[in-house]
Amino acid sequence: MAKKVYAITHNDLDGIGCAVLLEKVYPQIQTYAIDYRELNEVLPNILKEAGKETLVYLTDISLNEQQAQICNEFKVQHIDHHSSSMKLMSKYDWSFTDPSHCATYHLYNMLCQYANIQDYKKFVDLVDNYDTWGHGTEPSPEAFDLNRLLKMIGAETFVARFKLSGSVNLSKTEKAIVEADKFQEEQYLNFALSRTQLVKDAQGRNVGIIAAEQYTSSLGNFILNQVPELDYVVILDMLRDKASLRSKGKVNVGEIAKECGGGGHPKAAGFQMNEAALKAFWRSNE
C-alpha cells in the first residue's frame, strides 16, 4: 500500500499546478489548497495530523520564521519562488526557493528525478509562463486559457482533469468555457478602468487605485497599458482584505508589499489589508 503524503499549496494556478503533479506522483496524497491568510490555522493542524514521519509538501507558499520553526520539527519539503522565502533556504535544508521560475516548475524538476511525468512539461511551461507573467512580458494565450479554465471549473475539477492527462489541448467544451470567461473578463476590465482613481503618492509617482475582486493580474496590466502615465496600480479586494500591486518595472512593488507584511516580485506583489499593513503602505510612500 502506498504511503500517505500531505500537501499544502496555494490556490492560484501555480499552487494548483503543484497539486496536479503531486497527485499524479502520490496516489495517496491529501492536498489542501489554501489562501495565504489560512496558513497560520491550517499548517499546525496538518502537521499534527501527519505526524513526524510523514512527508508534507508546502508549495508556492511563503513561510515566516515562526512557521518555519514549527515545520522544522516535522518531515517537510518546502518549494517556493517568492523572494521573501529566500532567507529560509540558507537556514533550513528542507526549504527551496528560486524566484527565476514558479513553484510548479521547480517541483516538476524535483519529481522528474524519480517519477515519469515528462509528458507534463508543456503544462508546467504554461503555468510558469502565466505565474511569472511571461518572465517580464505578457503570458501566452495558451497560458491565459489554462488560468481561465481553472477559474471557471474550480480547483478540484481542474486537478482531476489534469491528473488523468497532462495534455493542454482543450476539448470543445473546455474551449467554450474559456471563451465565456474571455467575454466576461473584457466587460469587467473596461468597467473597472472607468472606476479607477488616478492619484500621486508622496514621492510624486502616478498611481491607479481601484476596488475590484476579479481578474487581478489582467486588470492591473490592462490599466497600466490603457493609462501609460501610471507608474503602478493598487487593486483593493475588499472581499478578501487583499491589496494587489502591479507595476511596469520602474517601481519595485515587491519592496512596497514587503514593508506591508506581504511579498512578491518587482512587477507583481500583494499583501493582506489590516491596520498595520495600511499604515505601512502609506509610510512606504512618504
Side-chain angles (χ1 to χ4, degrees), residues 38-70:
E38 299 177 87
L39 186 60
N40 272 335
E41 179 179 353
V42 171
L43 180 61
N45 291 334
I46 299 307
L47 291 175
K48 182 179 180 181
E49 180 180 335
K52 295 190 176 182
E53 299 303 319
T54 301
L55 178 60
V56 179
Y57 280 94
L58 298 172
T59 54
D60 192 34
I61 290 180
S62 297
L63 301 173
N64 59 36
E65 181 58 34
Q66 182 179 6
Q67 292 163 343
Q69 288 178 8
I70 296 174

Side-chain angles (χ1 to χ4, degrees), residues 21-36:
L21 298 181
L22 288 170
E23 295 204 11
K24 181 70 176 180
V25 173
Y26 297 103
Q28 297 299 318
I29 197 168
Q30 181 70 45
T31 305
Y32 297 85
I34 65 171
D35 186 81
Y36 292 136

Side-chain angles (χ1 to χ4, degrees), residues 269-281:
F271 61 89
Q272 289 298 139
M273 288 191 292
N274 52 50
E275 186 176 354
L278 292 175
K279 286 182 178 179
F281 174 74

Side-chain angles (χ1 to χ4, degrees), residues 17-208:
C18 291
V20 168
L21 298 181
L22 288 170
E23 295 204 11
K24 181 70 176 180
V25 173
Y26 297 103
Q28 297 299 318
I29 197 168
Q30 181 70 45
T31 305
Y32 297 85
I34 65 171
D35 186 81
Y36 292 136
R37 59 184 173 179
E38 299 177 87
L39 186 60
N40 272 335
E41 179 179 353
V42 171
L43 180 61
N45 291 334
I46 299 307
L47 291 175
K48 182 179 180 181
E49 180 180 335
K52 295 190 176 182
E53 299 303 319
T54 301
L55 178 60
V56 179
Y57 280 94
L58 298 172
T59 54
D60 192 34
I61 290 180
S62 297
L63 301 173
N64 59 36
E65 181 58 34
Q66 182 179 6
Q67 292 163 343
Q69 288 178 8
I70 296 174
C71 290
N72 200 42
E73 300 177 10
F74 293 84
K75 189 176 180 181
V76 168
Q77 177 64 68
H78 177 228
I79 302 169
D80 196 20
H81 68 113
H82 299 101
S83 57
S84 55
S85 290
M86 288 293 292
K87 60 183 180 295
L88 296 180
M89 191 167 64
S90 62
K91 189 173 181 180
Y92 302 103
D93 59 7
W94 46 262
S95 181
F96 175 86
T97 298
D98 182 352
S100 65
H101 291 280
C102 72
T104 299
Y105 178 94
H106 298 311
L107 177 64
Y108 170 79
N109 287 328
M110 291 182 181
L111 294 176
C112 274
Q113 296 178 34
Y114 55 85
N116 183 18
I117 54 171
Q118 283 73 19
D119 54 334
Y120 280 80
K121 182 63 166 63
K122 180 63 175 178
F123 171 83
V124 170
D125 286 343
L126 290 181
V127 174
D128 187 53
N129 182 253
Y130 184 83
D131 198 67
T132 61
W133 206 251
H135 291 282
T137 61
E138 188 166 291
S140 69
E142 282 184 287
F144 267 118
D145 287 351
L146 196 62
N147 188 66
R148 292 182 197 280
L149 185 63
L150 169 61
K151 173 182 177 292
M152 295 295 281
I153 68 177
E156 185 176 350
T157 303
F158 185 91
V159 170
R161 186 274 197 220
F162 284 100
K163 184 170 64 174
L164 291 176
S165 169
S167 173
V168 294
N169 296 322
L170 304 185
S171 67
K172 289 183 179 180
T173 299
E174 290 169 340
K175 288 179 180 178
I177 291 172
V178 165
E179 287 302 316
D181 187 61
K182 286 181 181 178
F183 176 77
Q184 181 177 319
E185 179 180 327
E186 182 180 353
Q187 301 294 107
Y188 188 88
L189 295 186
N190 282 292
F191 175 70
L193 177 64
S194 69
R195 300 179 62 196
T196 302
Q197 299 297 309
L198 309 183
V199 301
K200 286 187 179 292
D201 66 16
Q203 299 183 32
R205 298 174 297 199
N206 296 315
V207 187

